[in-house]
Amino acid sequence: MSNLFAELKTPITGTYKQPTGLFINNEFVEGVDKKTFEVVNPTTEEVICSVSEATEKDVDIAVAAARKAFDGSWHHTTPQQRGVLLTKLADLCEKNLDLLAAVESLDNGKSITMARGDVGAVAGCIRYYGGWADKIEGKTIDISPDMFHYTRQEPLGVCGQIIPWNFPLLMLAWKIGPALATGNTIVLKTAEQTPLSGLVFAQLVKEAGFPPGVLNIISGFGKVAGAAISSHMNIDKVAFTGSTIVGRAIMKAAASSNLKKVTLELGGKSPNIIFNDADIDAAVSWVNFGIYYNHGQCCCAGSRVYVQDGVYDKFVAAFKKRAEENKVGDPFHHETFQGPQVSQLQYDRIMGYIQSGKDEGATVETGGGRHGDKGYFIQPTIFTNVTHEMKIMQEEIFGPVCAIAKFHSEEEVIQLGNDSAYGLAAALHTKDLNTAIRVSNSLRAGTVWVNCYNMLHHQLPFGGYKESGIGRELGEAALLNYTQNKSVAIRLGGPLF
Ligand code: ADP
């Protein structure tokens, strides 16, 4: 087998052919400098394979390919044809669901059940934006009988997209769907921790019939390929999902290069509020899902849990029992809920936060340590007696660690919930409709869930208030991040100036 493919195996698919090159112009190629890096299996801590690493030179080549496609083949494609291609790509994701999900579990460590759910959502998202492709419309605006005015929603051009490792395929779908539907071309960099599923997906892009250069997918590191994208003079827009600290760096790079447009989906420290009148069994279930889904590696994880004093003891006891029942282990076991964290670095960061919670005097209700003796597994952890100033209540942990505090009044919990630099998501649990609406409207967050959690959908916009980001992904709202408005004014008659 050429060095651009590796023969790998998963328990679901058996042996399969894993592309390892950079996907540029619909072909897998080596990087100019022929650099590679190792991809590690977080379940076993063993190397899976090596993939090509993109440097600045490869980013230049990918951008040139994307620019050529934008000005040429993609420009001449009708909106309807773009829609058909996206729909075909969605169909191919469904046809290859087992393979894509298995590669995601292998590389990221998420359970196969969750990975299958992710791939289903990938297909749904891409199909949804396929439906939008021929519905991107301008307006005619009547100003004067002597003039004809209309607006157009035009694509931005070449978009750089930088995605994280927590939902490798889903974040890819959220990014490419609206960008392609609106007629842009793309250079997308996957996260260095999880490049494999994006490369398998790339084969489907070609199979669906997208012209070369429309969607280029490269593997590489943030400081090299990511920085080259955000500071590139020939990229018109950068879309990023990841940490707030990197988001700032990307915005600075965009500002000091060509002022490319920027959308950011960043961190969170989302409050999850349980009122006295909540259905406690249901709330326990959603709080558990809110923090431990995807091993806590969600930007919208419900990591700050506020419980009203009347139900505090009952809730904590039931939640502790529930957290201890979560099945932690091999991602390929069908009953597993929680697999390993993605990397040694993430494992160490999370364990550092757990130590800080202990040092600052919070109570470990359950967990607080390593699970097993191999792989980056961490026990589902609950801290109680957490005060507002503690690091575990303030900072994004991005792991299976939940901080619980007691509150008394609605005003108090709104103030606590909003007292954060972040504003990505929030949730509340109550049977009172007035409380539900009043509190939802008072929380400064891009998404508020009532009596549920993590109920994201491609039809519904998602994004952050405050330091959680700029712009919205998903829904119709995302289209605005990938188009610009052109006004055309045509003189029909009337006096000359
Ligand atoms: P995490 O800290 O959770 O790994 P990051 O925000 O560091 O998340 O990474 C998310 C994505 O951003 C990855 O694709 C990574 O390669 C990329 N990235 C990291 N640093 C930079 C940077 N300075 N410029 C551009 N992209 C970056």
Side-chain angles (χ1 to χ4, degrees):
M1 196 169 288
S2 91
N3 58 355
L4 294 172
F5 291 88
E7 200 167 279
L8 300 183
K9 207 172 170 182
T10 76
I12 303 290
T13 56
T15 306
Y16 79 97
K17 212 169 117 190
Q18 170 68 51
T20 58
L22 308 172
F23 184 73
I24 300 176
N25 257 328
N26 276 2
E27 301 299 336
F28 290 104
V29 294
E30 286 185 311
V32 174
D33 291 338
K34 305 204 179 334
K35 286 187 168 186
T36 61
F37 65 94
E38 290 181 339
V39 184
V40 173
N41 180 338
T43 308
T44 61
E45 304 181 37
E46 285 161 11
V47 174
I48 303 172
C49 65
S50 290
V51 297
S52 296
E53 180 198 334
T55 65
E56 292 88 345
K57 296 172 199 161
D58 304 303
V59 170
D60 282 345
I61 293 170
V63 171
R67 178 62 62 192
K68 189 163 172 240
F70 181 74
D71 291 334
S73 57
W74 204 229
H75 182 72
H76 297 294
T77 309
T78 65
Q80 192 181 10
Q81 286 167 332
R82 293 203 298 267
V84 169
L85 287 169
L86 282 163
T87 308
K88 269 194 199 155
L89 184 56
D91 291 345
L92 285 171
C93 288
E94 272 162 359
K95 198 170 145 200
N96 291 277
L97 190 142
D98 278 344
L99 173 63
L100 291 167
V103 175
E104 202 77 315
S105 290
L106 175 74
D107 195 4
N108 167 281
K110 68 174 67 199
S111 78
I112 189 68
T113 313
M114 305 284 174
R116 284 202 169 99
D118 280 11
V119 179
V122 165
C125 178
I126 293 175
R127 185 172 292 122
Y128 169 76
Y129 282 109
W132 268 114
D134 57 4
K135 297 164 195 73
I136 315 290
E137 294 168 347
K139 283 184 173 177
T140 60
I141 301 178
D142 267 344
I143 298 176
S144 146
D146 295 333
M147 297 289 292
F148 173 49
H149 294 93
Y150 65 93
T151 63
R152 282 166 52 84
Q153 292 298 120
E154 295 189 347
L156 297 170
V158 175
C159 297
Q161 302 186 321
I162 302 173
I163 60 169
W165 45 260
N166 56 343
F167 293 90
L169 282 173
L170 194 58
M171 291 303 102
L172 182 150
W174 287 19
K175 295 267 178 298
I176 67 163
L180 294 176
T182 46
N184 297 278
T185 57
I186 298 171
V187 176
L188 179 140
K189 188 190 85 62
T190 51
E192 53 270 38
Q193 297 84 348
T194 53
L196 300 187
S197 57
L199 296 173
V200 174
F201 179 90
Q203 294 174 301
L204 308 182
V205 173
K206 184 170 181 178
E207 193 180 337
F210 282 86
V214 169
L215 173 51
N216 306 279
I217 300 178
I218 59 175
S219 317
F221 291 91
K223 288 213 162 77
V224 181
I229 288 174
S230 46
S231 60
H232 207 283
M233 293 303 287
N234 201 17
I235 288 183
D236 301 290
K237 182 230 165 76
V238 61
F240 168 74
T241 297
S243 58
T244 295
I245 185 164
V246 172
R248 281 186 214 284
I250 285 177
M251 201 158 176
K252 275 188 198 153
S256 52
S257 54
N258 62 347
L259 275 172
K260 56 180 68 62
K261 314 285 177 273
V262 179
T263 47
L264 305 172
E265 202 262 88
L266 307 175
K269 188 74 185 174
S270 300
N272 198 352
I273 303 166
I274 295 91
F275 285 96
N276 282 337
D277 70 343
D279 173 339
I280 297 300
D281 289 345
V284 163
S285 192
W286 287 112
V287 170
N288 188 65
F289 188 60
I291 181 63
Y292 299 124
Y293 169 58
N294 212 40
H295 329 163
Q297 301 171 146
C298 286
C299 44
C300 56
S303 50
R304 291 188 287 150
V305 175
Y306 297 102
V307 188
Q308 205 162 13
D309 40 17
V311 290
Y312 182 86
D313 292 340
K314 185 179 172 196
F315 175 86
V316 170
F319 177 36
K320 174 175 185 285
K321 183 167 174 288
R322 177 64 199 261
E324 288 169 354
E325 285 164 8
N326 289 337
K327 293 253 180 308
V328 183
D330 178 3
F332 283 103
H333 193 288
H334 69 281
E335 277 186 356
T336 295
F337 175 69
Q338 184 182 313
Q341 308 309 127
V342 77
S343 64
Q344 182 73 51
L345 182 68
Q346 282 303 119
Y347 175 90
D348 292 342
R349 275 187 193 159
I350 297 162
M351 291 309 269
Y353 276 111
I354 291 178
Q355 192 55 48
S356 100
K358 292 175 182 171
D359 293 345
E360 288 192 279
T363 308
V364 179
E365 220 38 72
T366 187
R370 183 188 184 95
H371 171 95
D373 51 14
K374 199 177 61 169
Y376 311 124
F377 292 92
I378 296 180
Q379 295 169 335
T381 299
I382 301 175
F383 279 102
T384 52
N385 294 318
V386 186
T387 57
H388 194 62
E389 315 68 49
M390 288 182 188
K391 228 167 129 177
I392 55 169
M393 195 53 116
Q394 293 290 327
E395 295 182 18
E396 183 174 45
I397 300 175
F398 228 64
V401 182
C402 179
I404 305 190
K406 199 186 281 185
F407 74 95
H408 180 64
S409 70
E410 183 181 312
E411 299 67 42
E412 179 195 359
V413 81
I414 290 171
Q415 196 269 327
L416 286 168
N418 284 337
D419 189 14
S420 166
Y422 295 117
L424 191 57
L428 59 130
H429 305 265
T430 176
K431 287 190 193 129
D432 186 306
L433 184 61
N434 292 350
T435 309
I437 296 174
R438 227 176 19 244
V439 177
S440 298
N441 291 352
S442 305
L443 289 168
R444 298 193 29 80
T447 296
V448 180
W449 291 293
V450 179
N451 295 330
C452 60
Y453 209 94
N454 280 335
M455 298 304 283
L456 295 150
H457 193 270
H458 52 253
Q459 288 175 259
L460 201 62
F462 180 76
Y465 280 37
K466 299 191 264 183
E467 291 178 28
S468 287
I470 297 176
R472 291 290 177 267
E473 300 201 275
L474 301 182
E476 187 178 357
L479 302 170
L480 291 176
N481 294 324
Y482 285 98
T483 52
Q484 49 195 339
N485 196 300
K486 174 182 278 179
S487 293
V488 181
I490 302 175
R491 181 175 164 270
L492 303 176
L496 298 174
F497 280 98

